[in-house]
Amino acid sequence: MPSNLVKELREKSKKRKELLKHSLGVDNLSEALGSDVKKKKEISHDNPDEEEQDEIKEKEFRDSTAFLKGTQSLNPHNDYSQNFVDTGQRPQNFIRDTGLTNRFEEYPKLQELIRLKDDLISTTAHPPMYLKCDLENYDLKQLDNKFDVILIEPPLEEYSRTYGVTNTKFWDWDKIMALDIVEISAQRSFVFLWCGSSDGLDLGRLCLQNWGFRRCEDICWIRTNMKNKGTHSLMEPKAVLSRSKEHCLMGIKGTVRRSTDGDFIHANVDIDLIIDEEPEHGSLDKPVEMFHIAEHFCLGKRRLNIFGRDLTIRPGWLTVGPDLSNSNYDWNKYQSYMSNGQTTGCTDRIEQLRPKSPPPKSGARGGRGGAGGKRRILGSGGRDAKPRTGRP
């Protein structure tokens, strides 16, 4: 009896080891778990050189196979979190079809829509205008214009800690809130406010309320590090994890409905997520895709970029800020660009292709957008909307 019991226990132990080998994907279980290190040391105890080499091998990290027990996949290449620990590549580096050119390859109609809208925007855009000014002392009312789209890229104090930016004058949220956005925003208009990734989310909402805007969207920028693999962004004091995202709050002023204001907004074209490479150390650059989102969404031609730089000067936009190297803004010339209309207009083909909100059901009360309830203005699609992106 005892011999049969021992034999049965040994067979169970052997089966457990084979199952563990299969789970870890290794041939030598002892080597994977590091249980044969002591045996090797005892054998080579009389040879100091071999003992030193064993210590070096023991400290050298080879792969993470031994730590994958219990993971969903037996293939360590599919564990993007562990791959980040091993290589420094962030999981978002492996999301496919994030570029502006190949995003809609699987959706020909959306690809045609974006191409037609880009052509229309470039055709109706006025030459770039820019004004170098100290925004702390400059009164924005002196621009003597109302704007449909306002993009604000403030140099937040947070960037000195996360990006290592030192060559600019930082603004706190009290100064940002004091900007006279109320006087330069049109009766129906939109504001896009970059607010970082910490306390700016709450303080940015207060700014929108103070300027008479309602927050309608939170656009998130997920930063990749494909060009600088293994390098990590600076961390906040006393922080354990480093942030790899940033937020841009979108606010709406006035009454704008997707079902009735097709002459001013085209919703359901872009999504509220940007996946793009993080800037170089010490840079304040933001993804150029934010300009595309604003231009695709709002058809108004009066566009203003506050805290702009030479790199952000763009056709169809008036750029103001202290970091510009020159000025060419002329009020009379700017007004002449708007003489043929303050919106880009829309072709029949674009109107046919663009996703639209579903009509309200008979007898149902229409909500925002006339679809019987609240809907997100920028990102959500109706029943007849095609998939909005090629991302998984």
Side-chain angles (χ1 to χ4, degrees):
M1 289 294 292
S3 60
N4 293 335
L5 181 60
V6 171
K7 186 177 180 181
E8 184 179 351
L9 291 175
R10 285 178 178 173
E11 289 179 356
K12 288 183 178 179
S13 177
K14 186 177 179 180
K15 289 181 180 179
R16 282 197 299 269
K17 289 180 180 179
E18 292 296 330
L19 182 60
L20 190 56
K21 284 182 184 179
H22 179 69
S23 299
L24 296 178
V26 296
D27 295 327
N28 191 336
L29 184 62
S30 299
E31 184 179 355
L33 298 177
S35 59
D36 61 342
V37 176
K38 291 184 179 179
K39 294 180 181 178
K40 289 183 179 179
K41 280 193 173 183
E42 291 175 359
I43 295 173
S44 61
H45 183 69
D46 296 333
N47 192 335
D49 295 334
E50 291 184 8
E51 188 173 351
E52 290 179 3
Q53 292 177 2
D54 288 339
E55 289 181 0
I56 294 173
K57 290 181 179 179
E58 184 180 356
K59 293 179 181 179
E60 182 181 358
F61 178 78
R62 285 172 291 179
D63 61 47
S64 58
T65 305
F67 304 101
L68 294 175
K69 182 180 178 182
T71 58
Q72 295 180 356
S73 175
L74 297 177
N75 185 359
H77 298 290
N78 288 337
D79 191 339
Y80 295 109
S81 297
Q82 185 62 48
N83 184 69
F84 170 72
V85 175
D86 295 343
T87 66
Q89 295 191 64
R90 296 172 183 166
Q92 54 262 37
N93 291 1
F94 302 94
I95 300 177
R96 300 179 303 157
D97 302 332
T98 60
L100 291 170
T101 56
N102 60 354
R103 182 173 303 168
F104 301 106
E105 286 183 347
E106 298 179 6
Y107 310 104
K109 289 187 177 181
L110 278 181
Q111 193 173 27
E112 181 185 0
L113 171 64
I114 296 300
R115 179 181 59 80
L116 292 175
K117 285 186 70 69
D118 288 340
D119 292 343
L120 179 63
I121 291 169
S122 62
T123 303
T124 57
H126 62 75
M129 303 200 76
Y130 39 91
L131 174 65
K132 178 180 176 64
C133 62
D134 182 6
L135 290 171
E136 285 190 274
N137 301 315
Y138 183 78
D139 188 356
L140 292 175
K141 287 189 293 185
Q142 295 181 26
L143 294 174
D144 196 17
N145 272 302
K146 300 288 185 179
F147 296 92
D148 306 310
V149 177
I150 303 174
L151 174 61
I152 307 174
E153 305 179 35
L156 302 175
E157 295 175 339
E158 172 187 336
Y159 297 151
S160 64
R161 305 188 298 269
T162 56
Y163 291 155
V165 180
T166 57
N167 57 350
T168 189
K169 186 176 182 180
F170 298 106
W171 279 51
D172 57 38
W173 283 101
D174 290 333
K175 292 181 180 178
I176 298 172
M177 191 176 298
L179 290 172
D180 201 355
I181 304 298
V182 178
E183 293 295 328
I184 61 172
S185 55
Q187 184 175 359
R188 53 177 188 175
S189 54
F190 300 93
V191 64
F192 297 84
L193 173 63
W194 284 103
C195 57
S197 59
S198 56
D199 56 350
L201 280 170
D202 294 325
L203 296 174
R205 288 181 173 89
L206 292 177
C207 287
L208 296 184
Q209 293 177 7
N210 187 61
W211 298 332
F213 287 80
R214 307 184 306 278
R215 188 195 72 85
C216 61
E217 198 64 78
D218 182 352
I219 303 171
C220 187
W221 169 28
I222 307 296
R223 303 196 300 261
T224 60
N225 65 341
M226 288 182 285
K227 296 180 182 178
N228 299 308
K229 301 172 184 176
T231 60
H232 302 283
S233 57
L234 299 178
M235 295 175 62
E236 295 274 358
K238 300 180 181 180
V240 177
L241 303 174
S242 60
R243 296 184 174 94
S244 62
K245 65 181 178 64
E246 190 170 340
H247 296 265
C248 179
L249 296 179
M250 175 181 174
I252 179 175
K253 179 181 178 182
T255 302
V256 182
R257 293 187 175 90
R258 293 185 299 172
S259 58
T260 59
D261 295 307
D263 65 316
F264 190 66
I265 61 169
H266 276 186
N268 303 332
V269 177
D270 294 284
I271 64 173
D272 54 1
L273 184 67
I274 299 174
I275 301 178
D276 199 6
E277 189 75 4
E278 70 178 358
E280 296 181 358
H281 185 75
S283 174
L284 287 174
D285 293 344
K286 298 292 188 296
V288 70
E289 186 174 345
M290 181 54 65
F291 288 101
H292 290 274
I293 290 176
E295 292 168 351
H296 289 168
F297 178 73
C298 181
L299 305 186
K301 293 196 303 183
R302 301 175 297 178
R303 310 184 189 105
L304 175 67
N305 181 15
I306 302 178
F307 293 104
R309 301 174 301 281
D310 290 341
L311 290 175
T312 62
I313 294 176
R314 184 178 177 86
W317 290 75
L318 168 60
T319 306
V320 300
D323 295 330
L324 293 168
S325 58
N326 208 341
S327 300
N328 75 342
Y329 175 67
D330 180 82
W331 185 86
N332 292 321
K333 185 177 292 187
Y334 187 81
Q335 294 300 317
S336 67
Y337 295 146
M338 306 299 162
S339 59
N340 58 347
Q342 297 179 351
T343 59
T344 61
C346 180
T347 64
D348 294 337
R349 182 57 177 165
I350 291 177
E351 185 64 25
Q352 181 184 358
L353 289 172
R354 75 179 185 93
K356 306 172 188 65
S357 301
K361 296 180 181 179
S362 58
R365 294 181 59 187
R368 288 173 59 187
K374 287 188 176 181
R375 292 183 180 271
R376 299 168 73 184
I377 289 183
L378 179 65
S380 62
R383 289 177 299 184
D384 58 342
K386 301 294 188 297
R388 294 165 294 173
T389 177
R391 299 183 183 125

